Amino acid sequence: MQLNFIKRLTLLLGSGIENLDRSFRRQILDYIWSQQSSDGGFSGRKGSGEIYYTSFALRALALLGELQNDIRTQKVFQFLDCYLKRILDLRDSKGQILLSGVDLTSFQFAAQLLEWTLDQELFTLNSLNKKDFLSRIWKQYERPDGGFSSSLKSSYSSVYQSFLFGVSLQLSDQTFSERRHQQIETFLWKQQQKNGGFSDLSVLRNSGTNPTVAALGLLEILADWQVSHRVNQIEQSESHFRKFKQDCPIPESIDTKSQTKKLESNELDATRRLIKSRAIQYLISQQMSDGGFKAHQKMPFSDLLSSFSAFVGLSMFYGDRIGSVIDIKSLSSFVDSLYSCQNGFRGGIWDSETDVEYAFYGLVLKSMLNAV
């Protein structure tokens, strides 16, 4: 059985983790735990714990194989439990749960990792039906063009938020309806620009590295649906055919409707391949002379987030052949230049501070580069 996008991505992100230098792994581990706040969560560059940074910290710890059932991890669970209760208490007069798509998927990742580690399920503990809870929140962000917006006030769908919707579905073992699949795919195709990259919003015409990788990720999630949908169709067709053979003789005439559908399906598949190919070429063009990748065409410098995103996006399609399309050595040097053994990773040469989000990007990039 084929692994879905989330599982494929997880394997990809940790592909070289065990071969990393032991002292580097220990330094990153110590840095991440040093960012745990007194409330149990992990903070950004200042203040108390935040769900966004807590999710990155837990994912890094899990990749390192260092997420254990201990007092520190139990404190993280308490933080998430308090966070969920607070979100439920803050429902507005219409019963809307005021949680963004970014924070929702951050919570899902964190809750899932803690469920596996501590064998405790936050939704059950709070008497919530997980699928209903998630559905109610995402419903608030649905927009007529088929995508999902980044805020309740925005009328424009976002490629990144639509990608997070797909991630959220796979994390909760849910899938698209056929209608939703068609709507999201149509919205997504319209966001591809002339240079092959994707813009995040329909009102924007400048493509970017991160929206392009989000689009490629969403295309992978949509492809997972296509595979499972076709398997279901085949199983249903075989069942109908067996019954048909029992009741009627097999006709000799050609099923023209079936042939037409097959042709249409082939054309769609060709279009999907072309869209992905153009996006990949755009990502390749974003590598700069220092080895890093820039966020968009007009950006004068590279950064760690864009480098992480681009490398992940390209690795999904090139695998261990990625060295044939980008400069691996200079990218590795760029990543190393942003690292401090005591303070983790900075976001770029322009950055003077570090946080657990960039620690995750740096750790994963070094892991993946190590596997090439």
Side-chain angles (χ1 to χ4, degrees), residues 241-294:
F241 185 63
R242 284 193 296 270
K243 186 175 186 304
F244 180 79
K245 282 205 302 183
Q246 292 171 1
D247 299 339
C248 308
I250 300 175
E252 296 180 358
S253 60
I254 296 174
D255 183 353
T256 54
K257 287 186 178 179
S258 176
Q259 294 295 326
T260 301
K261 282 188 176 181
K262 187 175 181 180
L263 285 171
E264 290 174 348
S265 177
N266 289 340
E267 289 176 1
L268 273 175
D269 288 343
T271 301
R272 289 167 181 142
R273 287 194 297 271
L274 178 61
I275 286 172
K276 288 181 181 179
S277 176
R278 293 181 63 226
I280 290 166
Q281 292 305 312
Y282 168 80
L283 289 179
I284 292 170
S285 72
Q286 297 304 100
Q287 188 172 29
M288 300 189 71
S289 58
D290 64 359
F293 287 75
K294 55 188 176 182

Side-chain angles (χ1 to χ4, degrees), residues 199-321:
S199 59
D200 190 50
L201 304 174
S202 60
V203 290
L204 301 176
R205 285 292 169 260
N206 291 327
S207 49
T209 297
N210 297 306
T212 300
V213 176
L216 286 170
L218 185 50
L219 287 170
E220 288 290 289
I221 294 171
L222 292 171
D224 288 344
W225 178 91
Q226 290 155 14
V227 170
S228 62
H229 184 64
R230 285 172 182 172
V231 169
N232 291 336
Q233 283 184 323
I234 290 169
E235 289 174 349
Q236 290 172 9
S237 297
E238 288 176 346
S239 175
H240 291 321
F241 185 63
R242 284 193 296 270
K243 186 175 186 304
F244 180 79
K245 282 205 302 183
Q246 292 171 1
D247 299 339
C248 308
I250 300 175
E252 296 180 358
S253 60
I254 296 174
D255 183 353
T256 54
K257 287 186 178 179
S258 176
Q259 294 295 326
T260 301
K261 282 188 176 181
K262 187 175 181 180
L263 285 171
E264 290 174 348
S265 177
N266 289 340
E267 289 176 1
L268 273 175
D269 288 343
T271 301
R272 289 167 181 142
R273 287 194 297 271
L274 178 61
I275 286 172
K276 288 181 181 179
S277 176
R278 293 181 63 226
I280 290 166
Q281 292 305 312
Y282 168 80
L283 289 179
I284 292 170
S285 72
Q286 297 304 100
Q287 188 172 29
M288 300 189 71
S289 58
D290 64 359
F293 287 75
K294 55 188 176 182
H296 55 77
Q297 213 64 22
K298 296 181 180 180
M299 188 63 71
F301 44 75
S302 51
D303 66 271
L304 189 59
L305 167 57
S306 299
S307 300
F308 162 81
S309 297
F311 195 78
V312 169
L314 292 170
S315 294
M316 287 192 296
F317 296 95
Y318 284 101
D320 57 11
R321 296 181 296 109

Side-chain angles (χ1 to χ4, degrees), residues 116-133:
W116 290 335
T117 306
L118 304 177
D119 196 26
Q120 295 188 71
E121 214 281 324
L122 280 160
F123 290 98
T124 302
L125 184 65
N126 287 276
S127 303
L128 291 171
N129 180 298
K130 183 194 293 187
K131 292 183 178 179
D132 289 347
F133 176 81

Side-chain angles (χ1 to χ4, degrees), residues 141 165-166 177 209 317 319 342-343 353:
Y141 296 97
F165 169 71
S177 66
T209 297
F317 296 95
Q342 293 182 332
N343 299 311
E353 297 184 72

